Amino acid sequence: EDLLNAGYTHAWLFNPPVVDPPRMLINMMDEVQNHPLTESVDVEMDSPYDNMDEVVEDAIRYGCDSVINCSGLGAAGICNDSTLKGGRGILLHYDRSCSRREFNARGLKHDTCILTEEGEWAEHESCYMIPRGDKIVVGGSYNEEDKEQLISDRERQRLEKNAWTLGIDTAKAKPCDEWVGFRPSRSTVCLQVDNSFSPSGLQIVHSYGTGGSGWTVYSGIAKEAVNLLLE
């Protein structure tokens, strides 16, 4: 009823895989570490890189023959890419077992992803709910001009309204956490070979700028980055 009143008369229903990022990253790291061709894995660093020269210097020191730059928003500084912007996103986290509104309790047996980006919501203030592990995340926003790292009271109230609209009984369920992040966004994804360091003997491929679609395209973009190295 709330969605109908907001101007929604039709919907697409489909069954996509839902990624739980922390668990997925742990599994990916385990796969890399246990691969028979892996000699060592080191994800620690003393300080962030300031530019590609430092990346190349370290790569040569470690005996690497290739580098794939997946530095995300950090590429704005490392690659001096002024087209890369941080698309601000905000979330409230609810416990997966939190109280639901009665219309959900009667008929909905499984959590669903609900995404709405038109209707009463502004262009930069989308409304969505996604089950993720033992949490439900409620969003959101997308604004490349906003660099605020905390959720404002007004934003929190809007997210709580979204949670109510999408089926959480906010009179009984309170958020267990909140989150602000910045998507690495540019007009097009940067997936290309960098020949400027060829004299060093290194092959370099840049792969960043997927915005909010990283979990959707990461598998395909990783394969394409490897294909570029092998050409």
Side-chain angles (χ1 to χ4, degrees):
E1 182 180 345
D2 293 304
L3 293 175
L4 287 174
N5 291 337
Y8 297 93
T9 58
H10 298 80
W12 286 322
L13 179 63
F14 53 97
N15 296 308
V18 178
V19 175
D20 180 14
R23 184 182 300 177
M24 184 69 174
L25 288 171
I26 291 172
N27 289 342
M28 290 170 68
M29 181 60 71
D30 288 343
E31 185 176 348
V32 171
Q33 289 176 327
N34 295 320
H35 194 281
L37 296 180
T38 298
E39 292 186 7
S40 64
V41 177
D42 184 1
V43 295
E44 302 297 332
M45 57 191 309
D46 295 330
S47 60
Y49 293 116
D50 291 325
N51 50 62
M52 280 302 298
D53 290 327
E54 294 180 355
V55 175
V56 170
E57 181 180 337
D58 260 4
I60 293 174
R61 180 162 60 91
Y62 286 113
C64 301
D65 57 19
S66 58
V67 172
I68 299 180
N69 169 29
C70 306
S71 53
L73 197 56
I78 294 175
C79 301
N80 195 28
D81 187 343
S82 60
T83 68
L84 190 61
K85 307 293 183 183
R88 182 173 180 267
I90 57 175
L91 297 173
L92 291 183
H93 291 191
Y94 288 84
D95 190 271
R96 189 74 174 263
S97 61
C98 68
S99 297
R100 314 299 172 85
R101 292 171 59 192
E102 186 176 348
F103 76 87
N104 268 353
R106 283 203 306 267
L108 190 61
K109 296 182 179 179
H110 304 286
D111 288 322
T112 60
C113 299
I114 303 175
L115 311 174
T116 58
E117 296 188 356
E118 296 180 7
E120 69 172 353
W121 290 278
E123 179 182 357
H124 301 301
E125 296 185 347
S126 55
C127 174
Y128 55 86
M129 178 174 73
I130 303 175
R132 185 176 291 169
D134 60 354
K135 300 291 188 299
I136 295 175
V137 300
V138 177
S141 71
Y142 185 90
N143 193 328
E144 295 180 1
E145 304 302 323
D146 192 343
K147 296 179 174 57
E148 177 57 51
Q149 297 187 23
L150 298 175
I151 295 179
S152 68
D153 290 339
R154 185 193 70 83
E155 289 175 326
R156 191 174 295 105
Q157 291 173 0
R158 178 172 65 82
L159 293 180
E160 289 176 348
K161 180 183 177 182
N162 288 353
W164 169 264
T165 300
L166 298 179
I168 293 177
D169 188 347
T170 54
K172 299 177 181 178
K174 302 302 177 184
C176 58
D177 197 6
E178 57 187 45
W179 182 89
V180 176
F182 298 87
R183 308 169 180 92
S185 304
R186 65 198 306 272
S187 57
T188 59
V189 174
C190 181
L191 181 59
Q192 61 189 32
V193 176
D194 184 346
N195 293 315
S196 61
F197 294 94
S198 296
S200 69
L202 279 174
Q203 292 179 290
I204 296 177
V205 169
H206 297 293
S207 176
Y208 62 85
T210 54
S213 301
W215 285 108
T216 304
V217 303
Y218 79 90
S219 180
I221 204 170
K223 292 176 181 177
E224 183 60 25
V226 171
N227 288 338
L228 289 175
L229 282 179
L230 297 177
E231 287 181 353

